[in-house]
Amino acid sequence: MKRIVIYGECMVELRTESAQTLTKSYAGDTYNSAVYLKRCLPSSSVSFLTAIGADFLSDELMFNMGENEINTDYVFRSVSRNLGLYMIRNDEHGERDFAYWRSQSAATQTFTLLEETKTFIHCDWFYFSGISIAILDVPQRESLFAVIDELAKNGSKIVFDPNYRASLWDTKEDAQYWTERAYQVSDLTFPGADDHLMLYGHRTADDIFSYLANKNIDEIVVKNGSVGVHILEGKEQRIVPVERVEQVIDTTAAGDAFNGGYLAARLSGKKPVESASYGAKVAATVITYPGAIIPLIDFNNHIPTL
């Protein structure tokens, strides 16, 4: 059994149903990936590293993690902070518009609580994102990278998705610095073409591969929207087409779902190209439903487990 620890923030998701109606659920970029990874590869052990509050919403999230078979050994409780929250609205093309309340969320204290409890993390794979770096203050970011260094020394593989959100960073230069550090310690990365365009001005997959050429990353998977997935493993580059979707309902977790599916396939022993095709099928299914995490029964009707 492969042990995967995924670090990040899970928030309350409020989705607009009508002018007077909201639907509540729980989601967040790396949490979405954790759920889809577990659904795709039920034999894996998926743990979520985060901090939540002592409020009733945090209690509900714990139940949600249990329902999704996500291990909670590394979920810490803050007595002074609650869950973050976001609202989402979609246009007729499924594109999303967000409003966030997360600056004082419990997840921003994750590594303070990790150190206070003297907890040690054990895993085969560790996954984090640019968003999960951005929500931390600088001392906790250093603590995160200290944990990653220790895990790498003990043989863990490190996975990173830059997932750039400008509003979470003080400056673009700050985001570039920490993203660079994350790339330097990663074995597998999921750079998004849109993220690199906004953060670095890179306009093609070749630009991204050139930028990452000296980072010693074993496997680079560039998500490039409808153009397809560009994979660089060693010196070999391949393009994997994405599945066409007739009606897109909600693109919120497209990249997260792809990452979860890709990781599940790789952990099950599939090659990168086959894993990208599988991840693309997961993403194509997810964006035809509202919300970041779709009902399990609908997921299972479309996606074969590994």
Side-chain angles (χ1 to χ4, degrees), residues 207-262:
D207 290 341
I208 297 172
F209 289 136
S210 294
Y211 171 74
L212 297 176
N214 65 345
K215 305 293 191 294
N216 296 315
I217 301 169
D218 295 332
E219 195 170 326
I220 302 171
V221 182
V222 176
K223 297 173 290 184
N224 197 11
S226 61
V227 176
V229 180
H230 302 252
I231 299 173
L232 186 65
E233 186 182 17
K235 295 183 178 180
E236 186 176 6
Q237 182 180 160
R238 296 186 180 181
I239 301 176
V240 181
V242 297
E243 295 201 4
R244 295 183 64 85
V245 176
E246 290 187 6
Q247 184 177 11
V248 176
I249 302 299
D250 187 349
T251 61
T252 300
D256 310 330
F258 173 86
N259 292 0
Y262 184 94

Side-chain angles (χ1 to χ4, degrees), residues 9-13 25-29 31 61 83-86 100-102 105 131:
E9 178 180 19
C10 186
M11 295 170 284
V12 180
E13 177 189 79
S25 55
Y26 296 90
D29 70 321
Y31 183 69
L61 174 56
L83 291 184
L85 179 149
Y86 73 94
Y100 289 100
W101 294 264
R102 71 192 304 181
S105 76
I131 291 175

Side-chain angles (χ1 to χ4, degrees), residues 119-176:
T119 301
F120 295 94
I121 296 172
H122 303 279
C123 61
D124 300 299
W125 292 79
F126 182 85
Y127 173 52
F128 69 121
S129 73
I131 291 175
S132 52
I133 300 172
I135 65 171
L136 301 173
D137 59 25
V138 171
Q140 288 196 89
R141 290 175 190 173
E142 294 292 356
S143 295
L144 163 62
F145 279 91
V147 167
I148 290 172
D149 287 343
E150 191 63 28
L151 287 170
K153 289 177 183 177
N154 290 327
S156 299
K157 297 296 184 181
I158 309 301
V159 184
F160 174 64
D161 183 338
N163 230 357
Y164 174 58
R165 298 294 182 271
S167 61
L168 294 177
W169 297 94
D170 292 333
T171 65
K172 182 181 289 188
E173 291 73 23
D174 192 36
Q176 290 172 342

Side-chain angles (χ1 to χ4, degrees), residues 4-21:
I4 305 97
V5 173
I6 297 181
Y7 156 62
E9 178 180 19
C10 186
M11 295 170 284
V12 180
E13 177 189 79
L14 298 179
R15 188 176 69 254
T16 301
E17 295 286 354
S18 69
Q20 292 80 31
T21 306

